[in-house]
Amino acid sequence: MISIPKLKNTDSTNFFLMAGPCAIEGRDMALRIAEHIVTVTDRLRIPYIFKGSYRKANRTKIDSFTGIGDEKALKILQEVSQTFGIPTVTDIHESHEAAFAAEYVDVLQIPAFLCRQTELLAAAARTGKAVNVKKGQFLSGASMKFAAEKINEVNPDAQVILTDRGNSFGYGDLVVDYRNLPEMAAFGVPVVMDCTHSLQQPNQSSGVTGGKPKLIETIAKAAIVVGADGLFIETHFNPAEAKSDGANMLPLDQLEGLLERLVRVREAIL
């Protein structure tokens, strides 16, 4: 169902994976994380897209980490792609960023808070790159039909991906409604479960987003059983030291075991 240049292992029956650090913090960390995940996903024959945000625009506080420099981070993403022969995905936040980021990456991601921004979606579609749209925390899966339609109206050949990342549950928590996955799949596009952001605890009085990473495996297993085509997982060598979203990231050394178990779940339901 998914068509992205350089995506490997597409002849397997596995889910595909978008995974990497929340933000590009530097060249060495990005290459080390990518190498580890490529080794694991090649062994398990999981189609893999490296994820890393070149800039973090949606931050709680004005002094929160936003990035190491746009072009510098995008060139690191490009190097990851060239080094390992894999596609990459990064967020964009404003329409003028689409063409710029598309020069370096294979998939443009629309953050959940921005999934209704028509010009942003249109700008992403015009690049010809695949577009992954995160479902807003305030929307149902069924309502994401209109985001997909906006992209395909501008570019009928665009590869659209829709990703669930939970729904707002009160002021400081999220809950996953798994009805969203089949609702979005009904539009004929690949659907993804964001297993880490769906466990965020936003709007904390400390100004730092919290999370429940111990439940990542629970969210991922349920998503596979419900029929998710792909999984989105942010991971880091040491989440406690990550410069963005460390509270809900998976420690990198836990990823291989998790993926092995998820492959077995996938095999069991096919």
Side-chain angles (χ1 to χ4, degrees), residues 19-245:
C22 177
I24 299 298
E25 301 173 6
R27 175 181 180 273
D28 290 345
M29 67 85 71
L31 289 169
R32 287 176 62 205
I33 291 173
E35 182 178 26
H36 181 91
I37 303 176
V38 166
T39 300
V40 172
T41 53
D42 279 352
R43 180 176 69 81
L44 297 174
R45 301 192 70 244
I46 296 172
Y48 173 52
I49 304 165
F50 177 84
K51 184 271 169 183
S53 296
Y54 77 94
R55 176 155 51 89
K56 302 300 294 183
N58 175 30
R59 301 289 85 194
T60 302
K61 299 188 294 185
I62 195 167
D63 59 349
S64 296
F65 174 81
T66 58
I68 60 174
D70 292 356
E71 189 171 16
K72 182 178 181 180
L74 284 167
K75 285 183 175 179
I76 291 171
L77 283 163
Q78 186 178 57
E79 184 177 358
V80 167
S81 179
Q82 293 171 344
T83 301
F84 300 106
I86 56 174
T88 57
V89 56
T90 198
D91 312 79
I92 58 173
H93 306 88
E94 298 183 56
S95 55
H96 70 264
E97 297 177 36
F100 174 53
E103 295 179 19
Y104 300 91
V105 301
D106 305 280
V107 184
L108 298 177
Q109 183 166 281
I110 309 299
F113 286 131
L114 302 176
C115 68
R116 286 171 51 93
Q117 298 297 102
T118 301
E119 182 52 38
L120 181 60
L121 294 168
R126 283 193 289 269
T127 68
K129 296 300 176 85
V131 184
N132 179 35
V133 188
K134 293 281 194 77
K135 184 189 72 62
Q137 301 93 322
F138 44 86
L139 293 175
S140 69
S143 64
M144 289 298 289
K145 169 186 177 182
F146 305 108
E149 286 180 347
K150 288 177 182 180
I151 294 168
N152 286 139
E153 179 67 25
V154 174
N155 181 0
D157 297 322
Q159 171 68 78
V160 179
I161 305 165
L162 297 179
T163 296
D164 189 14
R165 48 99 75 234
N167 282 81
S168 296
F169 188 67
Y171 289 116
D173 208 352
L174 298 169
V175 64
V176 176
D177 180 352
Y178 284 96
R179 294 175 298 179
N180 288 323
L181 294 176
E183 285 179 353
M184 295 192 297
F187 310 140
V189 301
V191 296
V192 176
M193 184 72 237
D194 183 338
C195 304
T196 46
H197 286 99
S198 61
L199 291 168
Q200 282 184 333
Q201 293 179 305
N203 305 318
Q204 300 299 303
S205 58
S206 65
V208 179
T209 297
K212 297 181 179 179
K214 290 183 179 180
L215 292 175
I216 290 172
E217 183 162 344
T218 300
I219 296 293
K221 284 179 176 177
I224 293 298
V225 171
V226 171
D229 300 297
L231 299 176
F232 182 105
I233 299 174
E234 287 189 341
T235 183
H236 193 281
F237 286 110
N238 186 352
E241 295 182 358
K243 295 183 178 181
S244 178
D245 279 358

